Amino acid sequence: MKIIRSKEFSADRPWGALDIANMSGITTRLHWTDQPYKWHINDGEEIFAVLDGRVEMKYRIDGQEKSTVLDTGDIFYASVGTEHVAHPIGEARILVVEKAGSV
C-alpha cells in the first residue's frame, strides 16, 4: 500500500520520476519537471495526467504541429503512433501510465 501526495513530490532533475506501480508491464510513474521533454512516439499507448501545474502539450497530426494547454486535472491520451512533446509552464507534476520501458 502507498499514499502519495503528488504536490510534495520533487526530483533532482527534470522528468525525474517516482515509480508507483508496474502492473503486468504497464507502469505508473509520477514525474516532476520544470523543463520540456523531447519529441517522441511511445512504444504503445500513454496516459498523461496533470496532477499539479500546467503543461503545453504539442503534438503532430499528419505532419502538422498542434498544441493545447493542459491544466491541473486534465488528461492527454496518446494513441499508438502519436508524436508529442510536453512543455511545462513553470513546475508541473504529471502521472504517466504507459508500457514499461517506453520512451
Side-chain angles (χ1 to χ4, degrees), residues 29-48:
R29 303 175 82 204
L30 175 59
H31 291 269
W32 172 91
T33 191
D34 61 356
Q35 299 294 315
Y37 196 59
K38 60 183 177 182
W39 280 100
H40 65 286
I41 298 172
N42 293 79
D43 296 335
E45 300 163 292
E46 175 187 355
I47 296 172
F48 181 103

Side-chain angles (χ1 to χ4, degrees), residues 6-74:
S6 62
K7 285 188 177 190
E8 296 172 4
F9 176 69
S10 64
D12 59 357
R13 62 181 172 77
W15 295 101
L18 172 65
D19 294 325
I20 297 172
N22 184 329
M23 299 172 288
S24 301
I26 303 299
T27 60
T28 303
R29 303 175 82 204
L30 175 59
H31 291 269
W32 172 91
T33 191
D34 61 356
Q35 299 294 315
Y37 196 59
K38 60 183 177 182
W39 280 100
H40 65 286
I41 298 172
N42 293 79
D43 296 335
E45 300 163 292
E46 175 187 355
I47 296 172
F48 181 103
V50 179
L51 300 183
D52 185 49
R54 299 178 80 213
V55 175
E56 180 184 13
M57 181 64 76
K58 298 180 181 186
Y59 54 98
R60 292 187 179 131
I61 297 176
D62 297 326
Q64 292 195 8
E65 187 174 315
K66 300 187 180 281
S67 129
T68 190
V69 173
L70 303 172
D71 291 310
T72 297
D74 290 346

